[in-house]
Amino acid sequence: DGGITQSPKYLFRKEGQNVTLSCEQNLNHDAMYWYRQDPGQGLRLIYYSQIVNDFQKGDIAEGYSVSREKKESFPLTVTSAQKNPTAFYLCASSISPGQENIQYFGAGTRLSVL
Amino acid sequence: GQNIDQPTEMTATEGAIVQINCTYQTSGFNGLFWYQQHAGEAPTFLSYNVLDGLEEKGRFSSFLSRSKGYSYLLLKELQMKDSASYLCAVSAYAGNNRKLIWGLGTSLAVNP
């Protein structure tokens, strides 16, 4: 079954700690995306990658970092510099980078601060 | 600027028809998407419109008027499981880059 897998489903971060959210896809998609969703706000783009070994900042990249060493994987690190990390994080992928292409989403990771 | 407007909340009755509107002001329009998102879950793709007119897919239909910057999602024969948030997203230009601009979503409650 092809799809996008995000883990963990729930994650807790302590003060000053970096945490990494996993996103893996077996759809053979070139493009991958990370979004943050807060109550009452639309999806906001954190980072995106159009191809392996390349990624671009989205609208709210500060306090986050990513890597794209493999086509299947696009992990997101929430660093201690991100002062308000509590949110629902969604990873998505599309066949190619064109914004006319459908984005398919993982089940999400809910991050909370202890 | 880029802007998408959707009603915040709607309520409908099981078996009825509901229309969820989306208006947008963007530059370089390249298509409009509708997604469904159940509480705490991932958005799932419903429809994509790039040309004017109606796209029908089972109980769901989506309409686009590019000249009016307007779309709607029509849900027929409503079921309880249709209670969800419906997200409108437009592919448009922001500076030199093309990106998806997301609306805040319309929370639909289907009552028995």
Side-chain angles (χ1 to χ4, degrees), chain B residues 4-99:
Chain B
I4 295 180
D5 287 314
Q6 306 178 233
T8 304
E9 296 179 339
M10 297 184 72
T11 303
T13 305
E14 194 175 14
I17 299 172
V18 70
Q19 178 175 311
I20 302 174
N21 296 325
C22 172
T23 58
Y24 62 90
Q25 299 90 37
T26 62
S27 52
F29 176 85
N30 196 50
L32 186 145
F33 296 83
W34 284 97
Y35 281 80
Q36 179 191 60
Q37 185 178 25
H38 286 99
E41 297 182 11
T44 55
F45 169 77
L46 290 177
S47 68
Y48 172 65
N49 295 68
V50 65
L51 299 176
D52 290 350
L54 188 69
E55 294 276 346
E56 297 187 78
K57 195 184 292 186
R59 293 190 299 116
F60 292 6
S61 303
S62 57
F63 171 83
L64 174 67
S65 169
R66 289 171 296 171
S67 62
K68 295 182 180 178
Y70 168 69
S71 172
Y72 67 73
L73 181 69
L74 194 70
L75 290 73
K76 302 176 186 175
E77 301 169 15
L78 279 172
Q79 302 176 10
M80 299 297 289
K81 67 178 182 179
D82 297 330
S83 293
S85 183
Y86 291 86
L87 311 178
C88 173
V90 173
S91 176
Y93 282 99
N96 293 326
N97 298 314
R98 199 163 50 179
K99 62 182 292 185

